Amino acid sequence: MQLVPLIWGHDQSIWHWNQTNRERELNDRRYPQSIGAKFRRFLKDNHHYQKQTFAIYSFHEPLAKPGYVEPKKLKKFYLQIQEEFSTRPMNVYGEDMTFVWPQADECLTDVLDYEIHTFYPFASTRSGRYRPFSPKGYYLKPTSDLKMVFDNQRETIEIQLKRFQEAKPAINGRRPQLIVILQTFVDSGEKDLWNRMPDTHEMKKVADLILSEFQDRIAGIAWYPFRQAANNYTHWLHKDRYDDQGRDRWSVVAEVGQQLRKKSKLK
């Protein structure tokens, strides 16, 4: 098992920007009090932990605040990670940087090695049980047509993959790979969006659709979240293991995991 250590601090990240030196505080000799620098030193000093670390978690929706965390600062972080882990290369994983947001075009490479693509369609409304996501970057009206929902999602994934392929490779020759994240939570703050857990049949059906179309072109599938990731979540996969019919959601996770491992790119 390999991990992506998630350590959140100010603004959902521990990677502090030093304005004076125009860099992230990653070196513990220059920044002895920096949490990020201490974590980087921990990995460098403990090779068995670094070997279990699949990627470093970088930022969550940083472009939601244009000008605060801008592309050049994200690129600087990526460059510094390559330099700090030059003898034992480290992947960089991040969320919501290369699609929809302002300045996303500038983050297609030299920012991430692995990027998520969220697929959160499960809802409970009078108009339908799903909310499709438009390729233009916003949610459409509810529907009960799962095929239409997936057709829209397929198009958004195709757009993102094409954007990666057409972008100039990163300094290390890499382009980001996608990990599709599927909804297994209920958000009490949303009235007709993300307010229903999928049952086991829906989980398997959606995962099968993703794999049938993209298994050779994505890095993997994840289920979000396993444990409670926000105070406004009322349901999540660890607590709500069984659906309303008593069927085991974890068995679907295991089955899909076995399918992925047969042809996994997560080496």
Side-chain angles (χ1 to χ4, degrees):
M1 180 181 291
Q2 288 185 297
L3 305 175
V4 182
L6 173 57
I7 310 173
W8 277 13
H10 179 64
D11 283 321
Q12 301 179 337
S13 175
I14 60 168
W15 310 111
H16 182 69
W17 177 258
N18 188 286
Q19 184 64 30
T20 301
N21 296 329
R22 306 296 294 172
E23 65 178 5
R24 297 284 169 185
E25 295 184 351
L26 291 181
N27 192 300
D28 57 306
R29 293 177 182 174
R30 293 198 296 275
Y31 309 105
Q33 302 305 314
S34 168
I35 296 175
K38 291 178 181 178
F39 178 63
R40 167 258 181 198
R41 170 54 60 189
F42 169 78
L43 286 182
K44 298 248 331 185
D45 287 347
N46 295 273
H47 293 166
H48 57 294
Y49 285 119
Q50 185 178 340
K51 189 176 180 180
Q52 280 188 262
T53 302
F54 172 70
I56 285 180
Y57 187 100
S58 57
F59 303 93
H60 173 75
E61 297 185 357
L63 300 179
K65 300 179 180 180
Y68 179 68
V69 183
E70 54 201 282
K72 63 181 180 181
K73 294 180 180 179
L74 298 173
K75 291 176 183 287
K76 182 64 175 180
F77 175 79
Y78 188 76
L79 176 61
Q80 287 181 253
I81 290 296
Q82 310 310 311
E83 294 172 342
E84 296 289 348
F85 292 92
S86 57
T87 58
R88 292 173 177 266
M90 178 64 66
N91 294 317
V92 175
Y93 169 90
E95 298 180 341
D96 297 322
M97 300 186 206
T98 66
F99 191 61
V100 175
W101 295 100
Q103 299 180 296
D105 289 351
E106 301 175 53
C107 298
L108 291 172
T109 54
D110 286 312
V111 170
L112 297 169
D113 295 307
Y114 291 90
E115 162 77 301
I116 67 165
H117 187 99
T118 57
F119 190 2
Y120 297 165
F122 303 108
S124 177
T125 77
R126 293 181 179 180
S127 303
R129 291 171 56 79
Y130 309 101
R131 284 290 300 271
F133 187 76
S134 165
K136 295 183 179 180
Y138 54 84
Y139 280 90
L140 302 172
K141 293 180 179 180
T143 179
S144 291
D145 186 349
L146 184 56
K147 181 181 183 302
M148 187 271 277
V149 171
F150 184 73
D151 287 345
N152 275 271
Q153 199 71 37
R154 179 198 294 115
E155 188 174 348
T156 63
I157 294 174
E158 290 284 8
I159 289 171
Q160 200 163 3
L161 291 173
K162 183 179 179 181
R163 283 161 56 80
F164 290 153
Q165 189 60 38
E166 293 180 347
K168 181 181 177 181
I171 54 174
N172 52 18
R174 303 177 195 166
R175 288 185 172 90
Q177 296 185 60
L178 279 189
I179 298 175
V180 179
I181 292 188
L182 304 180
Q183 173 192 345
T184 52
F185 68 95
V186 172
D187 187 339
S188 63
E190 298 290 347
K191 184 178 180 181
D192 57 1
L193 181 68
W194 314 333
N195 65 351
R196 178 175 71 84
M197 285 282 282
D199 62 37
T200 54
H201 290 171
E202 290 174 315
M203 289 173 64
K204 186 64 167 62
K205 186 170 185 177
V206 169
D208 284 345
L209 287 169
I210 293 291
L211 292 176
S212 66
E213 292 283 341
F214 299 107
Q215 180 160 334
D216 294 332
R217 292 189 286 160
I218 63 173
I221 285 177
W223 306 89
Y224 174 80
F226 184 69
R227 296 187 184 274
Q228 187 178 25
N231 291 334
N232 48 301
Y233 290 178
T234 59
H235 297 69
W236 53 89
L237 195 53
H238 178 263
K239 178 175 72 72
D240 300 280
R241 175 173 178 173
Y242 299 97
D243 66 17
D244 291 342
Q245 303 301 315
R247 296 170 300 211
D248 189 356
R249 291 187 171 103
W250 292 10
S251 67
V252 177
V253 175
E255 184 177 349
V256 173
Q258 291 171 359
Q259 290 177 253
L260 282 166
R261 280 191 292 273
K262 291 178 181 178
K263 295 181 68 175
S264 176
K265 292 184 179 181
L266 295 177
K267 304 298 185 182

